[in-house]
Amino acid sequence: MPLKILGQDASKYKTTIEILNRGEPIVGWINVASSVNTQVIYSPSLGAYLKVFLARSKLEGLKTAFRGSRCQRARQNGAFLVNAGFNTPPCNCWGKLENGQEYMITMASAGTGITEYIYDQLHHNRSPEGLKHRRNFLLELGIIIGQLHLAGIVHGDLRTSNILTKFNGANHDFYFIDNERNSHHRAIPLKLIRKNLIQLNMLLPTKVSRSDRWRFFAAYNLSLIHISEPTRPERIGGGGVGVGKK
């Protein structure tokens, strides 16, 4: 199988991919913790992540034939997010190694994973200004997730480590990563709404209080009032509407 190097930055990363294809260590790139189904390395000097998609099972080829490869879905879902008005780090190079494994290179966002952001930057600042900043962050996070669902998008793994954030001086920008399992719906089933909200709610209670969680859900619910009544119940937005019930 021939080596494929595609994308607008193909020439920039040609040497890097050729070394990867030979199975040799790439100088200047460091390993990053990832799932057992991927290999991720990072170049601080280039500000880029290289993800290799490892085969999850012997049925991987069959699934790819019907659904497209995980790399292909990641790129398509990223483009879908951008077209819908959301942020995701750009992918400027992708392709396939001679062993059949696909890869993609994305530029690093200036943002921080919101798990780290909450734990390290918001949790310890108990000043009045710090509490205000924390509450505004939760408000903005609730609104952006509500907008994501309003757009008919379900993230495949909406744990807080897959959302990056950056404070721009006035409010927070958010970036969605690991998008290969995202799905798009005209009306999102309630079970998928719940799944995303549960994934976001997995932060430790010692770091995120019950009041913090309610602030997030209140903002999420507020974003759903823009859904017209005929399309609102039980499917898109159903998880948010149910949060306020006792």
Side-chain angles (χ1 to χ4, degrees):
M1 183 176 297
L3 174 65
K4 294 182 180 179
I5 308 174
L6 306 170
Q8 66 187 64
D9 285 345
S11 59
K12 177 179 178 180
Y13 294 108
K14 181 176 183 292
T15 300
T16 298
I17 300 304
E18 288 175 342
I19 296 172
L20 176 70
N21 186 63
R22 294 195 297 267
E24 300 172 2
I26 307 174
V27 177
W29 293 72
I30 57 178
N31 289 321
V32 176
S34 63
S35 76
V36 297
N37 300 314
T38 60
Q39 175 189 356
V40 180
I41 55 177
Y42 172 64
S43 170
S45 62
L46 296 174
Y49 286 92
L50 194 164
K51 174 186 279 191
V52 179
F53 295 85
L54 308 177
R56 293 179 295 188
S57 72
K58 295 180 180 179
L59 298 177
E60 186 85 13
L62 183 61
K63 293 179 180 179
T64 295
F66 285 96
R67 296 168 32 185
S69 70
R70 286 148 61 207
C71 180
Q72 180 183 5
R73 295 199 305 270
R75 292 188 292 106
Q76 290 175 341
N77 289 335
F80 193 96
L81 282 168
V82 171
N83 290 337
F86 300 96
N87 297 321
T88 188
C91 172
N92 295 331
C93 181
W94 64 90
K96 184 178 290 189
L97 305 177
E98 289 179 343
N99 63 8
Q101 293 174 343
E102 292 192 276
Y103 66 87
M104 61 186 291
I105 297 177
T106 55
M107 302 310 297
S109 164
T112 303
I114 65 172
T115 306
E116 178 184 350
Y117 189 75
I118 292 172
Y119 286 7
D120 296 343
Q121 299 189 38
L122 298 183
H123 178 65
H124 300 293
N125 189 348
R126 293 296 176 177
S127 67
E129 188 63 30
L131 288 175
K132 179 180 178 182
H133 185 86
R134 180 187 183 97
R135 290 168 182 174
N136 286 342
F137 167 79
L138 293 166
L139 172 69
E140 294 170 29
L141 179 62
I143 290 174
I144 196 70
I145 300 304
Q147 291 174 341
L148 187 76
H149 288 163
L150 281 176
I153 302 171
V154 175
H155 195 282
D157 187 4
L158 199 60
R159 286 177 289 188
T160 50
S161 56
N162 285 334
I163 309 173
L164 309 180
T165 189
K166 178 177 64 175
F167 185 62
N168 61 28
N171 48 45
H172 292 84
D173 298 320
F174 294 95
Y175 300 80
F176 295 94
I177 63 174
D178 286 355
N179 298 305
E180 53 260 32
R181 291 190 289 166
N182 291 10
S183 56
H184 319 125
H185 309 261
R186 294 185 63 184
I188 302 177
L190 177 59
K191 66 178 182 180
L192 296 182
I193 293 281
R194 285 176 173 162
K195 180 180 179 181
N196 267 184
L197 296 180
I198 289 171
Q199 288 168 334
L200 276 173
N201 203 36
M202 292 171 64
L203 293 169
L204 293 173
T206 55
K207 303 293 186 180
V208 181
S209 69
R210 190 172 184 178
S211 297
D212 285 337
R213 296 172 200 268
W214 278 106
R215 288 187 181 94
F216 164 82
F217 284 125
Y220 176 86
N221 272 329
L222 183 64
S223 69
L224 300 178
I225 65 175
H226 301 292
I227 306 176
S228 62
E229 285 302 319
T231 61
R232 182 176 181 178
E234 288 308 310
R235 294 184 75 81
I236 187 166
V241 173
V243 166
K245 295 180 182 178
K246 305 223 178 180

